[in-house]
Amino acid sequence: MRLPHVKTLAALALAAFSFVIPAQADPLAKEMFGAMRLPAATQPAVYGSYSKGCFEGGIAIAADGPTWQAMRLSRNRRWGHPEMIALLERFSRDAVKDGWPGLLLGDISQPRGGPMTSGHASHQLGLDADVWFLPMPNRRLSYEEREKMDFVSLLKKNSLYVDDRKWTPAHAALLKRAASYPNVERVLVHPGI
């Protein structure tokens, strides 16, 4: 009669013992994903959610395009689902038609997505991208400039409100264009914007 109870106690003791043993050298997921230099050579597919997932079959957007420049090249975060990369290329062309001189593209994803070693909790599926609110210059930025160029806040200093001296109708048009595509689920900006 006591046999099931003994099995339960033995299972609990074994479970408790497994928590006492220190974790061995299993690398963290962010280190494993961050170490991947290239995507998985498969058909595109996403797994999980924006902040807890990965993808395969991704492609990189070129560091330089006719209407964009990728920033922070050392991070190797120019990878995305092929549909995302196509959307960014289209968005950059449409933005130029709207009067914006071209896009500066920040992080998209690592080659296989997953958690990043620093920065974003999202960007794990290759389906989201950072687009800077800074117009692309009329020249190609050097590698060093792309690494060190500061973000430009469009907010008033020590405020949660947009600085009207910096925010222009062109910024609003860029934001509106980004939100106009049917396959864009959401556009995240500071609440002040």
Side-chain angles (χ1 to χ4, degrees):
M1 276 189 152
R2 294 191 179 234
L3 189 57
H5 189 45
V6 171
K7 283 184 180 178
T8 303
L9 285 176
L12 287 173
L14 189 59
F17 180 69
S18 68
F19 289 113
V20 173
I21 298 172
Q24 296 302 313
D26 289 337
L28 296 173
K30 67 181 182 180
E31 293 168 0
M32 292 177 65
F33 279 100
M36 295 291 135
R37 305 314 300 162
L38 294 170
T42 63
Q43 291 295 317
V46 298
Y47 305 97
S49 64
Y50 289 98
S51 61
K52 198 168 214 147
C54 61
F55 71 101
E56 59 186 355
I59 60 174
I61 194 162
D64 293 305
T67 52
W68 75 85
Q69 293 183 55
M71 305 298 285
R72 309 294 195 256
L73 298 174
S74 66
R75 294 180 180 179
N76 196 27
R77 295 178 181 177
R78 298 182 292 122
W79 300 87
H81 189 282
E83 288 182 32
M84 181 64 186
I85 301 303
L87 177 65
L88 288 170
E89 291 174 355
R90 178 181 174 198
F91 178 32
S92 71
R93 290 188 304 271
D94 291 345
V96 168
K97 290 178 194 172
D98 293 341
W100 193 261
L103 300 180
L104 295 179
L105 300 175
D107 289 344
I108 304 170
S109 189
Q110 300 173 130
R112 298 182 188 197
M116 295 184 181
T117 56
S118 65
H120 301 286
S122 63
H123 291 258
Q124 294 189 22
L125 301 179
L127 296 175
D128 42 336
D130 292 339
V131 177
W132 291 24
F133 267 129
L134 188 63
M136 185 176 87
N138 60 1
R139 63 178 178 80
R140 290 292 159 197
L141 296 168
S142 70
Y143 181 89
E144 292 77 24
E145 288 174 309
R146 294 172 198 230
E147 292 297 313
K148 295 179 181 175
M149 185 180 284
D150 287 331
F151 296 104
V152 176
S153 175
L154 297 174
L155 303 177
K156 293 178 183 175
K157 189 172 178 126
N158 300 320
S159 173
L160 299 177
Y161 298 99
V162 171
D163 186 337
D164 293 329
R165 296 170 297 171
K166 295 178 184 176
W167 181 262
T168 68
H171 289 95
L174 184 68
L175 183 57
K176 189 174 184 179
R177 173 63 76 176
S180 73
Y181 300 107
N183 49 345
V184 169
E185 186 175 299
R186 59 184 170 252
V187 177
L188 303 175
V189 294
H190 187 279
I193 292 174

